[in-house]
Amino acid sequence: MQHTFGVYFYILIAAVVLIWLFKRFNLPPILAYLAVGILAGKDGFAWLEQSEQMHFIAELGIVFLLFSLGLEFSIPRLLAMRHIVFGVGVMQVVITTLVVMVLLWLFGISMIAAFSIGSLVALSSTAIVVKQVSGSPLLRSRPGQLAIGVLLFQDIAVVPLLIALPLLANGSESLWSTILTALAKGGVVIALLMAVGKWVLPRIFSEIAQTRSDELFVLTTILVALIAAAITSAFGLSMALGAFLAGMMLGESEYKHQLEADIRPFRDILMGLFFITIGMQLDMAFVVANLQWIALGLFGLLTLKVAITYFVTKVAGENHENALASALMLCQMGEFSFVLISLALKYALLNSANASLLLSVGVLSMAITPYLVDNGALLSYKILNKVAPNLLTKNSQSYDNGDAQFDEFSQHVVICGYGRVGQIIARFLKTEAIPFVAIDSDTVRVKEAQAAGENIYFGQAKQKEVLKGANIAKSRLVIITFADKDSAFAIINSIKQLAPKVKILVRMRDDRYLSELKDKGVTEVVPEKLEASLMLVSHVLFLTGVPMRRILRRVQAERSNRYGLLHGYFPGDSTPLSPDSSDHLEFLHAIAITEDAHARGLSLGDLNLTKRRVDVTGLRRDGNELSFPPSDTVLKAQDILIVRGKPRRVERAERFILEGR
């Protein structure tokens, strides 16, 4: 047990250090996880041995990843992509498999072994490609949609391949009937999941959301993804396919953004473990001994898959830039390729040398994939501009916003919290024709507002994915209506990571966190109690005959001075004096200067009370009151000095004034 703890402790340290190091050089975390796997494997420090349990946990990362991907798709959108999934996807898998088979057969490799290699080479990495495009404009770009559509068919194609390889090894004559049976099962389970997702899951999440329990919502999300994965697995299909279908069904609900935010931490951690297991499979001794063959194999793999994918995408009617960009995204081998390699080895369809070569080429192709995905559009533009500039189109790097609800919004206001305050703000924004998007976690309120046509959706505003759904990067202002300090600071941190320049207005009950919020980059803080006092004072002054212009000038001056005149008050018996509250309150306190007081005969400048973080707000002498007396004022006996500060500081200042210590 202690040894196991030490192993995972070392892996965690390595992951933290390497991810930080790779980020410093603007390299994706996936490469860091692969490096951790190499360190943890037999060619590194041998911290961890391969195990079925570890592979299963790592596979859960793919399950959650596909669940997140499903949330991005709706049924109409998937139907609109059917020509990509079952058109481009089918052509890519079939043609790649056949071309590789023929090439290997010409080099003397048996037809069965050639089919095994061709089928696993045809697959690409759903895990890496989807992880790279998730949350970025690439997901809604045409190359991104092409890549996702092809990957979806590849995940479906894995099912008959997993069945076919063992049957080929045994020489079974019932191959096609077995595959057709598996596909029939697949149709049944897909229909079942779609029905459950459409009519059952929304009701379940509606009940869960009404409990207002974050823990219950997260647990239910995880449970739904795992149950869907288990159902497809029980029918002999990929677990990832079930998770994708469950996510797709929920992608049309108002819980979409909150579900994605809840699942992301688990997805990212488990995906990291998956890539560590991939890195552990890389045999560094074999890589060094066969470096030239691995380099040749890597070049051949990338060139062949780019050429074939580019060709089939062009045949489907795409322009040259999109075809080449999507081909660059899909030129690697996939995670299911490693599963097929293990299966082919188990049934002696491949020898260990070929398996090691394929494994090495696959890992290296996956290592360069993040760069190719992120820069696919730019690389395709540069390649075509150099080779055939006449093939370029004017909109080569434009993005299709798809059916994203608020993607067309710009210069809008995002309202975090749609309670009474949020709704009042929204009404005034409507009167001025200013667009807004509201976020709220009360399911009843969200449904009522949506039924009335309001731009609102369900989610926790502190989650970055939820804020992305409101297109916060293009907003002009974010209003946080929560008076809760912790929620406000969490939302501000997320906003600053997504849109550091957007203006933020925060509502607070009082001004105790005003300075801290300003330091965080908040544009305006509205303390309810002080603003209510200012409004009351404004009415009092107006009713006593003070001109409105002077009132407005005084109120604005107080706001600019961070409500300086409103700070501090005389405490009473009912004033809360707990340690927590006293750290934020500022009191006014009257100190009588006696004959033997230390401060008698000294000026306020000599006392230097500002050093003790206490302000002098007034001096009463001979029945007259002087506000904010100058520093050269000399104190006399019988003077009353009014000071302002936090309770403990005021106590220490009084002791110093009277006793000199």
Side-chain angles (χ1 to χ4, degrees):
M1 181 73 178
Q2 189 173 3
H3 172 71
T4 303
F5 174 79
V7 165
Y8 289 116
F9 182 69
Y10 295 145
I11 291 176
L12 183 60
I13 291 177
V16 170
V17 172
L18 287 177
I19 291 174
W20 170 79
L21 186 62
F22 277 52
K23 275 293 187 181
R24 290 294 298 269
F25 292 98
N26 294 320
L27 296 173
I30 292 173
L31 297 184
Y33 285 123
L34 290 172
V36 173
I38 294 172
L39 288 177
K42 61 181 181 179
D43 292 321
F45 295 101
W47 289 330
L48 202 60
E49 297 179 357
Q50 300 286 353
S51 67
E52 290 297 326
Q53 291 83 359
M54 187 175 65
H55 281 294
F56 175 74
I57 295 174
E59 192 176 356
L60 292 181
I62 303 176
V63 168
F64 290 143
L65 180 68
L66 266 293
F67 181 78
S68 300
L69 176 63
L71 291 172
E72 296 291 339
F73 286 83
S74 61
I75 294 294
R77 186 175 177 186
L78 189 64
L79 292 176
M81 291 179 61
R82 63 186 180 276
H83 71 284
I84 299 177
V85 178
F86 299 105
V88 180
V90 170
M91 287 193 295
Q92 187 272 335
V93 171
V94 172
I95 294 176
T96 304
T97 303
L98 291 176
V99 170
V100 173
M101 277 181 64
V102 172
L103 290 175
L104 294 176
W105 179 71
L106 292 175
F107 280 95
I109 296 178
S110 68
M111 189 59 71
I112 293 179
F115 172 77
S116 303
I117 297 173
S119 61
L120 64 91
V121 166
L123 302 179
S124 303
S125 176
T126 302
I128 296 181
V129 175
V130 174
K131 184 172 177 60
Q132 287 300 114
V133 302
S134 292
S136 75
L138 282 172
L139 185 59
R140 299 186 183 98
S141 69
R142 189 57 181 172
Q145 291 183 338
L146 289 168
I148 295 299
V150 173
L151 288 168
L152 287 178
F153 178 78
Q154 289 180 1
D155 286 340
I156 296 171
V158 168
V159 179
L161 288 174
L162 291 174
I163 298 170
L165 292 187
L167 294 177
L168 286 173
N170 297 328
S172 174
E173 297 179 357
S174 59
L175 172 62
W176 292 109
S177 62
T178 305
I179 292 176
L180 290 175
T181 302
L183 292 177
K185 290 181 180 179
V188 172
V189 73
I190 289 173
L192 174 64
L193 285 176
M194 290 178 68
V196 171
K198 184 173 182 62
W199 289 297
V200 179
L201 289 183
R203 290 191 175 96
I204 291 176
F205 277 100
S206 176
E207 291 295 326
I208 296 299
Q210 290 182 29
T211 65
R212 309 296 295 274
S213 170
D214 293 342
E215 294 84 355
L216 186 58
F217 200 91
V218 173
L219 289 173
T220 307
T221 303
I222 296 171
L223 184 61
V224 166
L226 293 179
I227 288 177
I231 291 174
T232 51
S233 178
F235 277 81
L237 299 171
S238 165
M239 290 200 302
L241 181 61
F244 172 78
L245 291 171
M248 190 173 64
M249 293 302 101
L250 290 167
E252 299 181 68
S253 70
E254 64 266 32
Y255 311 110
K256 167 185 173 180
H257 299 290
Q258 185 61 45
L259 290 167
E260 186 177 6
D262 288 339
I263 208 73
R264 183 172 183 177
F266 303 95
R267 180 196 72 190
D268 290 347
I269 293 172
L270 293 172
M271 281 303 300
L273 181 56
F274 169 78
F275 290 116
I276 290 175
T277 61
I278 295 299
M280 290 175 62
Q281 297 181 48
L282 189 61
D283 188 341
M284 295 306 296
F286 180 85
V287 171
V288 174
N290 299 274
L291 194 57
Q292 70 280 11
W293 294 109
I294 293 173
L296 182 62
L298 180 62
F299 176 78
L301 171 73
L302 300 180
T303 304
L304 183 66
K305 292 194 70 174
V306 167
I308 293 174
T309 308
Y310 172 78
F311 169 74
V312 299
T313 312
K314 275 298 299 167
V315 170
E318 299 296 330
N319 64 37
H320 294 277
E321 303 95 304
N322 291 338
L324 186 54
S326 61
L328 290 170
M329 290 182 181
L330 297 171
C331 63
Q332 75 291 138
M333 285 169 57
E335 50 276 354
F336 288 114
S337 299
F338 298 109
V339 177
L340 294 179
I341 290 173
S342 300
L343 198 62
L345 269 176
K346 178 180 178 180
Y347 290 98
L349 297 175
L350 290 178
N351 58 45
S352 58
N354 289 337
S356 297
L357 178 63
L358 288 168
L359 192 63
S360 302
V361 170
V363 171
L364 293 176
S365 70
M366 294 173 80
I368 64 173
T369 297
Y371 174 80
L372 295 177
V373 173
D374 290 340
N375 299 279
L378 181 60
L379 289 173
S380 65
Y381 178 83
K382 287 184 176 180
I383 292 171
L384 290 171
N385 189 43
K386 188 173 183 179
V387 177
N390 58 307
L391 299 179
L392 291 172
T393 56
K394 293 181 180 180
N395 60 342
S396 59
Q397 297 191 55
S398 63
Y399 291 110
D400 175 19
N401 287 331
D403 62 347
Q405 189 176 1
F406 302 116
D407 272 9
E408 73 279 5
F409 277 47
S410 180
Q411 292 298 301
H412 57 291
V413 176
V414 177
I415 304 174
C416 299
Y418 206 58
R420 186 171 184 176
V421 174
Q423 292 175 44
I424 291 173
I425 293 171
R427 290 169 192 167
F428 279 86
L429 291 175
K430 282 183 181 179
T431 60
E432 298 297 328
I434 298 174
F436 71 89
V437 177
I439 304 170
D440 199 273
S441 59
D442 188 313
T443 180
V444 175
R445 184 182 297 139
V446 169
K447 286 184 177 179
E448 289 286 335
Q450 285 180 341
E454 303 284 6
N455 294 326
I456 182 174
Y457 65 88
F458 177 88
Q460 297 284 349
K462 61 185 177 182
Q463 301 281 5
K464 286 188 282 189
E465 286 75 16
V466 175
L467 291 172
K468 286 179 184 177
N471 203 7
I472 193 172
K474 294 183 180 179
S475 65
R476 71 166 77 175
L477 173 67
V478 180
I479 303 172
I480 302 174
T481 66
F482 304 111
D484 178 64
K485 167 230 178 187
D486 294 331
S487 297
F489 276 93
I491 296 170
I492 292 166
N493 289 334
S494 297
I495 293 171
K496 286 300 179 181
Q497 294 179 44
L498 297 174
K501 294 184 179 180
V502 72
K503 295 180 180 179
I504 305 174
L505 187 149
V506 180
R507 165 203 175 201
M508 282 282 134
R509 297 196 186 282
D510 51 42
D511 63 330
R512 66 178 67 180
Y513 305 112
L514 190 145
S515 297
E516 194 173 348
L517 288 166
K518 287 285 188 178
D519 293 340
K520 283 279 188 181
V522 172
T523 310
E524 291 291 342
V525 181
V526 180
E528 285 184 341
K529 291 181 179 179
L530 301 190
E531 281 294 328
S533 299
L534 282 180
M535 289 300 100
L536 182 61
V537 167
S538 300
H539 285 290
V540 169
L541 294 178
F542 178 73
L543 292 174
T544 53
V546 178
M548 181 56 69
R549 182 175 298 178
R550 188 189 303 174
I551 295 172
L552 293 176
R553 189 167 59 247
R554 288 184 179 275
V555 169
Q556 187 58 41
E558 277 306 303
R559 288 173 178 153
S560 301
N561 193 35
R562 296 194 177 185
Y563 306 93
L565 194 63
L566 306 186
H567 289 173
Y569 59 92
F570 297 107
D573 289 337
S574 61
T575 303
L577 293 175
S578 64
D580 179 63
S581 61
S582 62
D583 286 338
H584 303 290
L585 297 175
E586 284 192 349
F587 287 164
L588 290 176
H589 183 53
I591 304 174
I593 308 299
T594 59
E595 291 287 346
D596 57 349
H598 167 73
R600 178 174 172 267
L602 298 177
S603 68
L604 294 176
D606 294 332
L607 294 174
N608 194 16
L609 295 178
T610 56
K611 182 179 179 181
R612 299 175 181 272
R613 302 173 73 176
V614 171
D615 299 322
V616 177
T617 63
L619 176 67
R620 189 170 185 81
R621 176 181 294 172
D622 300 331
N624 298 316
E625 184 174 342
L626 178 64
S627 297
F628 297 101
S631 60
D632 58 354
T633 302
V634 177
L635 296 178
K636 300 179 180 179
Q638 311 307 320
D639 283 349
I640 304 295
L641 190 65
I642 313 299
V643 298
R644 180 182 65 196
K646 294 183 178 180
R648 295 175 183 174
R649 294 171 186 166
V650 169
E651 290 176 6
R652 288 193 289 265
E654 182 177 23
R655 187 182 304 115
F656 172 72
I657 290 170
L658 297 178
E659 303 175 13
R661 59 183 179 88

